[in-house]
Every structure is written in C-alpha cells, then in structure tokens.
C-alpha cells in the first residue's frame, strides 16, 4: 500500500559535517493516520535523524527533509505495514542520548558500528552502507600521511562521531598528541577551516568528501584508517527494539535484492556504497 507523507514542521537548514544534525526539531509521520486506523494494530516508531549532513539527511531547497538515510527509512516503512515511522530531527550529538532516554526508537544517521558503540547500543545485522575512513587535508598538503603525522596538529571532528573515536583512541595511547577540535560549524566551514589553516585536517569517509567539498579543495591522504558497517542504532536490552531491528533487517535484504538500495546510493551518494565489493 502506498503511503502519504505528512510534514508536520518545516525546519531551518544548517550544515554540519561528520554526520551531524541541526538544532531544530521536526516530526514527519510516514503513514496516513486514516489508513492506519483501517489497518488495525500499527506500532508507532520514532526515528531520530538530522537535517544537515549533505545528501544524507538535510533540508532541500523546497524545505523538504530528504537524503539517502531519510529516503531509505521511507522505503523501509513502505515494506513494514506493522509499523508507522515518525521522523524526528535534532542535533547529531543528541541522537544517542535521545535513544537512551527513549525519546526516539532508533537512529538513522550513517552510524558506524564500532566496539565503543557496540558496548552500549544495539545494531541491526544487515548493513545498508559501508564507510572507509581516511585523513582529509588541503589538496596541496603533502606532509600528512598518517595519524602520527597529526601529532601536534589541530584536527577537526564532530563530537560523538566515529571519526572522533578514532582520534580519541589514538590520543589515549599517545599522550593526547593530537589537538582535537570538536566542530559546531557548518559543512562549508570545514573546508574553510582547513584551507585557511585554522585546522590541519579532519577524518571522513570515502564518499563524504565530495559531498562536503564539491569544489575539490580538499583530498584524502594516507592509508585506510578504518572501514565499518553502517547500520541503524537501537536501545540495547530492549525486546521491542530487537524485534524492530529484525524486521528492518528483512526489509533491507529485500531492498538489496531488488536493487532499490543500490539505486538510492547512486542517486544520493553518486556511487554504490552498499557493498564492500563496490
């Protein structure tokens, strides 16, 4: 059954790199309430996302919340009639806290699975994308090739991001050698901060660089730092969350098999990042 989209609040656009959201809140119910009443017992699920990760979750020129993760959530909602998804937007740094305090039921924001997060949160099993993280510097910078080369330098990252975890783990073993600068600015400010020398580098995924730097002022450098599955995040120890995660895994498998997931990736990210083989 096709579902109508109802945007309850139009939110202000802001841009923040490293998988972060804006400070305003938005609610968007993805199924029609009249249809739900006819269908009977449909469980409402609040999905937390952001508004300012270019091509992932952002507000377009028409004031619509859209992007790869957002449209994927809508596709999954189409395939799970037992659930009704309600998209809510907020700061990226608040998403996991909102999950813990039960303000949202799962996070859809290009969340990497790593050991630190796995200790605290539940992930579904079927990745919908893969990230390969590298150091990002100005295109004329040939002096930085590794994390060791970042000792004594300023490196920009988003608080609570997987990139921040890479830097923080390095600092734990190297006497806080890297000066981590936690970002509150916009996506284009990342490019400006690096090109003007206010910071020396950042860390980002292979597909994110052209999204935040369409003019090609930056480049990736050095070897691959990490590669990670991209999954949705749920509360740990929550039977209903596990049931939801299992249902979403089934929908993602369908989306992979019928080519919809790859199509979404190509549309929004410019290539198919839904398989490690791509």
């Amino acid at each position: 059954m096709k579902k109508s989209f109802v945007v309850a609040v139009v939110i202000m656009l802001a841009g923040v790199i490293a998988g972060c959201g804006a400070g305003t809140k938005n609610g968007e119910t993805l199924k029609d309430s009249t249809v739900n009443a006819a269908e009977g017992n449909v469980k409402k699920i609040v999905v937390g996302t952001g508004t300012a990760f270019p091509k992932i979750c952002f507000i377009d020129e028409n004031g619509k919340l859209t992007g790869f993760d957002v449209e994927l959530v809508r596709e999954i909602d189409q395939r799970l009639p037992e659930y009704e998804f309600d998209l809510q937007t907020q700061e990226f740094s608040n998403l996991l806290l909102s999950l813990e305090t039960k303000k949202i039921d799962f996070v859809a924001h290009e969340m990497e699975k790593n050991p630190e997060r796995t200790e605290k949160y539940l992930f579904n099993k079927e990745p919908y994308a893969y990230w390969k993280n590298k150091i990002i510097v100005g295109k004329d910078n040939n002096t930085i090739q590794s994390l060791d080369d970042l000792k004594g330098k300023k490196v920009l990252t988003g608080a609570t991001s997987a990139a921040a975890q890479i830097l923080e783990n390095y600092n734990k073993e190297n006497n806080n050698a890297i000066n981590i600068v936690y970002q509150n600015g916009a996506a284009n400010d990342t490019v400006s901060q690096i090109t003007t020398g206010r910071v020396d580098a950042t860390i980002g995924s292979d597909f994110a660089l052209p999204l935040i730097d369409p003019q090609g002022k930056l480049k990736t450098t050095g070897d691959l730092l990490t590669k990670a599955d991209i999954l949705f995040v749920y509360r740990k120890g929550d039977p209903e969350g596990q049931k939801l995660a299992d249902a979403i895994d089934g929908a993602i498998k369908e989306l992979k098999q019928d080519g919809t997931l790859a199509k979404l990736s190509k549309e929004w990210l410019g290539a198919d990042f839904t398989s490690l083989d791509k």
Side-chain angles (χ1 to χ4, degrees), residues 72 75-77 79-80 246-256 258:
L72 174 57
E75 286 286 349
I76 293 172
D77 191 49
R79 299 176 189 232
L80 298 178
D246 292 342
I248 287 177
D249 274 334
I252 293 174
K253 288 177 181 178
E254 288 182 4
L255 289 163
K256 287 182 175 180
D258 66 20

Side-chain angles (χ1 to χ4, degrees), residues 28 30 49-50 56-58 65-75 87 108:
E28 177 186 343
L30 302 187
T49 190
I56 299 297
C57 45
F58 70 104
L65 176 65
T66 190
F68 177 61
D69 279 42
V70 173
E71 299 306 329
L72 174 57
V73 167
R74 289 176 174 143
E75 286 286 349
L87 283 163

Side-chain angles (χ1 to χ4, degrees), residues 121-269:
Y121 307 105
L122 171 69
F123 289 83
N124 60 295
K125 297 177 182 178
E126 192 71 24
Y128 63 89
Y130 298 89
W131 275 26
K132 299 175 182 178
N133 288 306
K134 299 187 76 174
I135 298 169
I136 297 173
V137 297
K139 66 178 182 179
D140 297 325
N141 186 333
N142 297 315
T143 63
I144 295 173
Q145 300 291 328
S146 67
L147 290 175
D148 287 337
D149 294 332
L150 293 175
K151 289 181 178 180
K153 299 188 183 299
K154 295 181 179 179
V155 182
L156 192 66
T157 191
T160 77
S161 69
Q165 195 69 62
I166 293 171
L167 295 167
E168 290 163 0
N169 287 344
Y170 181 88
N171 269 356
K172 287 178 183 177
E173 298 177 359
N174 293 275
N175 197 29
N176 293 319
I178 297 174
N179 183 357
I180 303 174
V181 179
Y182 293 98
Q183 181 184 47
N184 293 311
N188 57 357
D189 188 55
T190 297
V191 179
S192 174
Q193 289 208 52
I194 292 176
T195 56
T196 59
R198 283 180 285 165
V199 298
D200 299 285
T202 188
I203 290 176
S205 71
D206 46 357
F207 74 76
L209 182 56
L211 304 183
I212 65 171
D213 178 34
Q215 295 181 342
K217 295 182 178 181
L218 308 179
K219 68 179 181 181
T220 59
T221 185
D223 295 332
L224 188 68
L225 298 177
T226 62
K227 57 183 178 181
D229 296 350
I230 302 301
L231 301 147
F232 299 123
V233 188
Y234 313 77
R235 279 184 296 278
K236 205 166 190 177
D238 182 347
E240 287 299 318
Q242 183 65 67
K243 182 179 177 181
L244 173 62
D246 292 342
I248 287 177
D249 274 334
I252 293 174
K253 288 177 181 178
E254 288 182 4
L255 289 163
K256 287 182 175 180
Q257 290 170 357
D258 66 20
T260 302
L261 186 61
K263 181 180 177 182
L264 283 172
S265 181
K266 291 174 183 176
E267 176 184 354
W268 290 104
L269 308 179

Side-chain angles (χ1 to χ4, degrees), residues 9-15 21-26 51-52 58-59 63 89:
V9 182
V10 177
I11 36 186
M12 183 182 303
L13 173 63
T24 52
K25 294 184 177 180
N26 177 69
T51 63
F58 70 104
I59 306 299
T89 62

